[in-house]
């Protein structure tokens, strides 16, 4: 039996319930993994509230790390006893042990702890596709990154620095701004005390940035478009403040033939080989020291509701994990 956090119906953090679930043997293409730690992400909040629909009751959680206990027929990249980590569907990672599809589970190098492994996969592979797969970015380019002290943000700050890309971050306090600067941001704007659009134009001497990476959504969308140079790319990859309203495409034309995309990690990792390649690129950044994973806070599984409250209140920095 494995303790597992379920959401009984769409709603607030009070909808969580810890249940004991029987764990069986893996079938073809599956593994059984015993978790050491589980990652917490905003997609979990969207699934809990019903913004992203699930059939309730449903176990939540999209990433974790642990030890592979058994593999099913056809699984060749993992063996029983291997250290592993993943960010993948279906939800259900908030648990002690589970059976799940093996294709997006990745061998975890010995040099990376289980805590870091649980905290890094979803956010780290998100940073990988933002910088390496969404639009051409290279040394000397400038990007605007919202929530620069968050889970993806602190990785993105370091990733940009390692690639010679200038990252202008935003965050909600002077302390969070300093954290982003300490992790490699060239500039960080406190959006509570400064107009980030005006400040970006000042920093770039009116040119604008080559790309915006925005997980905030509704509250920052239009001003972010105004920060782009002509032909710049807007990457809207989250909805922390709510979904972006319908977009009039002439907005993009009038601001300089801008490009707009709404990417997701799960599209990128749906191909198993691509998923493994992205994970290796992330592991290489961490093992080389270019990227350090910051676990800002941890909660025991029984306090998963408190963890969600902290995330929604933007009280967290870096990554958040659940311990077992």
């Amino acid at each position: 039996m494995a303790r597992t956090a379920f959401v009984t119906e769409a709603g607030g953090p009070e909808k969580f319930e810890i249940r004991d679930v029987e764990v069986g043997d893996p079938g073809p293409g599956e593994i059984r993994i015993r978790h050491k730690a589980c990652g917490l992400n905003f997609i979990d909040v969207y699934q809990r509230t019903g913004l992203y629909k699930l059939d309730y009751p449903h176990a939540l959680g999209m990433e974790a790390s642990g030890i592979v206990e058994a593999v099913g027929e056809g699984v060749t990249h993992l063996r029983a006893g291997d250290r592993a980590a993943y960010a993948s569907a279906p939800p259900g990672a908030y648990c002690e042990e589970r059976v799940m599809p093996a294709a997006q589970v990745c061998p975890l190098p010995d040099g990376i702890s289980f805590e870091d492994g649980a905290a890094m996969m979803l956010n780290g592979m998100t940073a990988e596709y933002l910088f390496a797969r969404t639009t051409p970015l290279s040394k000397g380019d400038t990007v605007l990154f919202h929530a620069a002290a968050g889970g993806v943000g602190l990785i993105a700050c370091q990733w940009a620095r390692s690639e010679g890309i200038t990252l202008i971050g935003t965050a909600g306090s002077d302390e969070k701004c300093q954290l982003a600067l300490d992790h490699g941001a060239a500039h960080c704007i406190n959006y509570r005390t400064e107009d980030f659009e005006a400040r970006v134009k000042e920093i770039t001497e009116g040119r604008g940035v080559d790309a915006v990476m925005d997980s905030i959504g509704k509250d920052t969308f239009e001003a972010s478009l105004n920060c782009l140079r002509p032909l710049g790319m807007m990457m809207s990859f989250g909805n922390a403040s709510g979904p972006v309203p319908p977009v009039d495409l002439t907005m993009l034309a009038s601001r300089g033939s801008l490009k707009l995309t709404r990417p997701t990690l799960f599209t990128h990792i749906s191909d198993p080989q691509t998923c493994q390649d992205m994970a290796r690129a992330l592991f290489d950044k961490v093992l080389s020291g270019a990227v350090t994973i910051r676990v800002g806070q941890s909660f025991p599984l029984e306090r998963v509701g408190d963890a969600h409250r902290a995330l929604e209140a933007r009280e967290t920095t870096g990554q958040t994990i659940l311990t077992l």
Side-chain angles (χ1 to χ4, degrees), residues 36-40 94 298-301 303-304 307 320-324:
K36 296 293 188 179
C38 311
L40 187 80
Y94 293 177
S298 64
F299 297 82
L301 181 65
R303 290 184 56 206
V304 61
T320 302
I321 63 171
L322 300 174
T323 56
L324 301 167

Side-chain angles (χ1 to χ4, degrees), residues 29 77 101-107 125 133 266-280:
H77 69 291
Q104 279 73 36
V105 181
C106 305
M125 290 196 293
R133 298 175 188 270
F266 298 102
T267 304
H268 285 85
I269 66 173
S270 61
D271 175 69
Q273 187 57 55
T274 299
C275 177
Q276 300 295 327
D277 291 345
M278 292 171 68
R280 279 193 292 270

Side-chain angles (χ1 to χ4, degrees), residues 92 129 132 161 216 237 284 290 302 314:
Y129 83 68
R161 179 174 59 187
I216 302 302
F237 69 100
D284 287 346
E302 292 76 10
R314 301 189 189 181

